[in-house]
Amino acid sequence: MAEQKKKNEIAKQDNSELVPVTPQDVESRMIMLRKQPVLIDRDVAELYGVKTKEINQAVRNNPRKFPFGYIFELDKYEKEEVVKNFDRLNVLKFSSVAPAAFTERGLYMLATILKGERAEKTTLAIIDTFVQVRELARTMEALQTVEDGGAQQRTLLQRTGDLLAEVVGHNLSTRTTETEIELNFAVVKIKHKVIRKDDSGDK
């Protein structure tokens, strides 16, 4: 009984010195694979403060919790692409093991296995990020159908800016709806002007 419980759960760790995970930490690791935003097992482990092998062991010990669509192994081409495009994943180039990618559903299921205060806070950050990115995508889709310069467009642009501030960081302000820069997300390409707040205060 005790052995089975050990297999089904990752033991609690002392995470008192670990910095809490934020939605910005999650968003910066989200990548687009097979037309959906995912997190690579190595990044998942880093967010949860455990080793990659512990994440994969949790999956192997609970195969029925991870059916098709919850997790998948990267093929050779996908692995080469993530290594080429994301410097933090360069270490995967030297691994003989195919990295795994967790979809949103897989991450939620993983949260039922991982235990501890750090795991709980990380799960909340992951959920918040996926919710915000989905709303951001819906808002940008709605912008394609509204009249330029109208009140609805201004409202949607303002909401886009608010979501950007939440996902990218709270040091962004949206005092204007003028288009200025382009930001790339896992699920949508966004163009919107953002103003970085002056930490020294407004002049």
Side-chain angles (χ1 to χ4, degrees), residues 127-147:
I127 292 173
D128 289 344
T129 303
F130 273 93
V131 169
Q132 290 164 353
V133 169
R134 277 202 306 275
E135 183 177 353
L136 196 53
R138 288 195 299 267
T139 303
M140 294 306 300
E141 288 175 1
L143 273 171
Q144 309 305 313
T145 63
V146 299
E147 180 181 355

Side-chain angles (χ1 to χ4, degrees), residues 1 5 11 17 48-49 53 68 80 88 91 112 116 125-126 141 152 162 175 182 190 192-193:
M1 184 72 176
K5 184 175 181 181
E17 297 182 359
Y48 277 101
K53 65 179 181 180
F68 177 79
E80 291 175 350
R88 72 180 187 280
V91 66
T112 68
I126 289 174
E141 288 175 1
Q152 187 176 5
D162 292 341
R175 301 172 190 165
E182 183 175 287
I190 301 160
H192 185 67
K193 181 170 182 178

Side-chain angles (χ1 to χ4, degrees), residues 21 33 48 126 184 193 203:
V21 172
L33 283 176
Y48 277 101
I126 289 174
N184 288 298
K193 181 170 182 178
K203 296 182 179 180

Side-chain angles (χ1 to χ4, degrees), residues 94-194:
F94 308 103
S95 175
S96 59
V97 179
F102 286 85
T103 66
E104 182 177 0
R105 288 179 292 176
L107 288 165
Y108 292 167
M109 187 58 72
L110 183 65
T112 68
I113 302 172
L114 304 182
K115 305 298 180 182
E117 182 179 356
R118 163 99 176 188
E120 292 173 359
K121 293 180 178 179
T122 298
T123 297
L124 290 175
I126 289 174
I127 292 173
D128 289 344
T129 303
F130 273 93
V131 169
Q132 290 164 353
V133 169
R134 277 202 306 275
E135 183 177 353
L136 196 53
R138 288 195 299 267
T139 303
M140 294 306 300
E141 288 175 1
L143 273 171
Q144 309 305 313
T145 63
V146 299
E147 180 181 355
D148 289 344
Q152 187 176 5
Q153 184 191 53
R154 290 194 295 271
T155 299
L156 288 171
L157 281 172
Q158 181 62 43
R159 180 55 184 155
T160 300
D162 292 341
L163 287 167
L164 283 173
E166 292 174 12
V167 177
V168 178
H170 294 291
N171 63 334
L172 294 178
S173 173
T174 54
R175 301 172 190 165
T176 175
T177 57
E178 178 184 352
T179 299
E180 183 181 73
I181 65 174
E182 183 175 287
L183 299 174
N184 288 298
F185 277 76
V187 295
V188 65
K189 182 176 287 186
I190 301 160
K191 277 191 170 184
H192 185 67
K193 181 170 182 178
V194 291

